Amino acid sequence: METLHITNTLNRKKEKFEPLVEGHVGLYVCGPTVYSTAHLGNVRTFLSFDIVYRYLKHLGYKVRYVRNITDVGHITNSAGDDVDSIGNQAKLENLEPMEIVQKYTISFHDTMKIFNLEAPSIEPTATGHIVEQIEMVQRIIDNGYAYEKNGSVYFDVPKFAKEHSYGKLSGRNIDEQQDGYRELDAQDEKNDPRDFAIWKGVDETFPMRWNSPWGEGVPGWHLECSVMSTKYLGQKFDIHGGGMDLKFPHHDCEIAQSIGADGTEPVRYWMHTNMLTMNGQKMSKSLGNSVLPLELISGNHELLEQGYSPMTIRFFMLQSHYASQLDLSNDALQAAEKGYKRLANAFDLLDKVEHNGKENISDEEEKAVLKLIQDCSVYMNDDFNTAQTLAVLFEMSNKINAIYNKQFDISLLSKATFDKMKATFAAFFTNVLGLKSEKSEGSNGVTDGLMDLILEIRKSARENKDWTISDKIRDELKALNIVVKDEKDGGTTWTVG
Ligand code: AMP
Ligand code: ZN
């Protein structure tokens, strides 16, 4: 198997990936809290892990991919308190909390499908694992790392930090953490402001609550991921991922809970994706600068000049490495639209270019193409560098266009190498990067088929220097509001309007 390297947040080093069980990978990604529609920032993170999942499978691993649904309404606000996001939304929409959960889970799945993300192998819900969460709280109490106060249970951070490292992922030391929290006020039950709730007692005004040995309440947010990851992937598993805003407190607390309950650190490689920003600011619901997927597709947003297709948006996100910040802008999206079309065009040409069987091999050409084939894997093996992989696919698409336009003599390549290039291009475009041709969508392929035919006729007219026919085709199409463009690389694209 080829050697993959992953940047591990635990030590911030690019490490050789070695699964715990040969040939198998356990991958856990923190899923959405289902109280509202996923915005494009969320899409970016899930898309990054879709690439991880796809590429691991491409390498031949059998992957169990677990991505949870947070359907208990806790988000931790800046003061470190849990807020019932789902209960609040239920009140706003005058629905049952479980209706909110159902509505936004369906909406999340629809969004993932629009951008061609593969479904995980298991999608467990927090509400489906309350029993296991209660059991974990009990183990933490039994081991002396948590205490009960008025029906809530808190993790004892100072005690834990004396014996173990706390805050590894975020790199915060325990004293710095003190600054991030407000002082305890009179009604606070915690012994220390850094302690966090692993069980929170609530009264009957909270519509979502469960019975426990400590009275009615809800599990703390970090607990569900500790429970569900290890339940389905084992006490120790390979990769755990999420957006970098989850490093602290969510993931650092997960590590503390697992050690507190079971004495082991569960994760071998932690992966964190960087944020999608808009005008340099993190896209988030609370800042009110979030753009929803359907707004970007329709162009129906005050900051957008036009709409963009789902594959253009996917391509746009793949153009940057998952660990770099990515800024959403009209210019970048327009450039991505052109880039995506060029690649998709080459992909559509793949079944139109065949080797003629004559081999008059040029060592130089043969070597150059073999290098391109290899480079696709070289870059993906380098911590999933989709940006560089796309650059290699562009070079391949130039070759494919040149062959199609007879500007490159195909006999300079062996049939084996040429076929391998086609297969590599197709595999990386579709299976690894999850892109697809959007041409045949929406019109049952008839329009596209007809356009292919017309452009084919125009191409042979041009080859025969029959300018009357080729100009007539272009002008008639123009009258129909279809703009035909001959690209520098020899390809031809068309757009309506
Ligand atoms: P949430 O729905 O808030 O629970 O977040 C779901 C996932 O989206 C988490 O992994 C977050 O880290 C991630 N996320 C939230 N905002 C952004 C953003 N602006 N860019 C990238 N990922 C984000
Ligand atoms: Zn999580």
Side-chain angles (χ1 to χ4, degrees), residues 7 35 84 126 160 182 194 206 240 311-312 340 347 350 461:
T7 301
Y35 71 104
D84 180 11
F160 178 84
R182 57 171 171 50
R194 290 161 295 193
F206 279 74
H240 189 320
M311 286 302 112
T312 293
Y340 164 69
F347 176 71
L350 286 182

Side-chain angles (χ1 to χ4, degrees), residues 158-170:
K159 169 155 192 224
F160 178 84
K162 254 190 232 140
E163 298 158 22
H164 305 275
S165 146
Y166 179 72
K168 265 191 207 177
L169 294 172
S170 56

Side-chain angles (χ1 to χ4, degrees), residues 30-33 39 41-42 45-46 242-243 245-246 274-276 282-283:
C30 290
T33 310
H39 61 68
N42 306 134
T45 286
F46 296 123
D245 55 343
L246 298 188
N274 210 323
M275 295 291 108
L276 179 71
K282 179 192 163 187
M283 185 175 289

Side-chain angles (χ1 to χ4, degrees), residues 28 30 68 221 225 240 250-251 254:
Y28 185 88
C30 290
N68 69 302
W221 168 38
C225 290
H240 189 320
H250 192 48
H251 291 158
E254 269 187 51

Side-chain angles (χ1 to χ4, degrees), residues 257-430:
Q257 289 169 161
S258 287
I259 296 175
D262 304 310
T264 52
E265 221 182 294
V267 180
R268 174 72 183 83
Y269 303 87
W270 281 94
M271 284 184 72
H272 289 97
T273 58
N274 210 323
M275 295 291 108
L276 179 71
T277 57
M278 187 133 181
N279 300 320
Q281 228 183 8
K282 179 192 163 187
M283 185 175 289
S284 81
K285 275 164 218 156
S286 53
L287 286 174
N289 67 344
S290 54
V291 178
L292 300 180
L294 290 184
E295 291 172 334
L296 189 54
I297 292 168
S298 65
N300 196 2
H301 188 283
E302 53 179 8
L303 295 171
L304 295 172
E305 288 168 12
Q306 62 171 90
Y308 301 90
S309 76
M311 286 302 112
T312 293
I313 300 166
R314 188 170 172 113
F315 178 93
F316 162 74
M317 292 186 176
L318 295 176
Q319 269 183 314
S320 72
H321 186 250
Y322 75 83
S324 333
Q325 201 169 295
L326 173 62
D327 199 53
L328 193 76
S329 73
N330 284 293
D331 286 352
L333 283 160
Q334 280 159 16
E337 184 170 58
K338 284 204 190 108
Y340 164 69
K341 278 194 180 153
R342 260 180 70 200
L343 275 197
N345 205 42
F347 176 71
D348 290 332
L349 285 183
L350 286 182
D351 46 1
K352 296 195 184 125
V353 284
E354 290 297 339
H355 200 282
N356 56 17
K358 286 183 214 135
E359 291 185 347
N360 184 16
I361 300 168
S362 144
D363 279 350
E364 201 184 324
E365 294 294 348
E366 183 87 353
K367 244 199 222 151
V369 170
L370 285 172
K371 182 168 184 319
L372 292 180
I373 292 168
Q374 202 185 12
D375 276 354
C376 287
S377 307
V378 167
Y379 288 122
M380 285 304 288
N381 283 334
D382 182 16
D383 200 16
F384 310 95
N385 197 329
T386 52
Q388 292 289 352
T389 307
L390 282 175
V392 179
L393 292 188
F394 273 121
E395 289 192 44
M396 281 190 184
S397 74
N398 290 343
K399 202 99 273 154
I400 292 161
N401 277 319
I403 291 169
Y404 178 69
N405 291 309
K406 308 209 163 52
Q407 290 163 349
F408 179 86
D409 177 6
I410 201 165
S411 62
L412 296 176
L413 296 175
S414 68
K415 179 168 185 327
T417 298
F418 172 72
D419 287 347
K420 202 166 172 197
M421 175 175 78
K422 273 175 56 172
T424 306
F425 187 94
F428 277 79
F429 185 82
T430 56

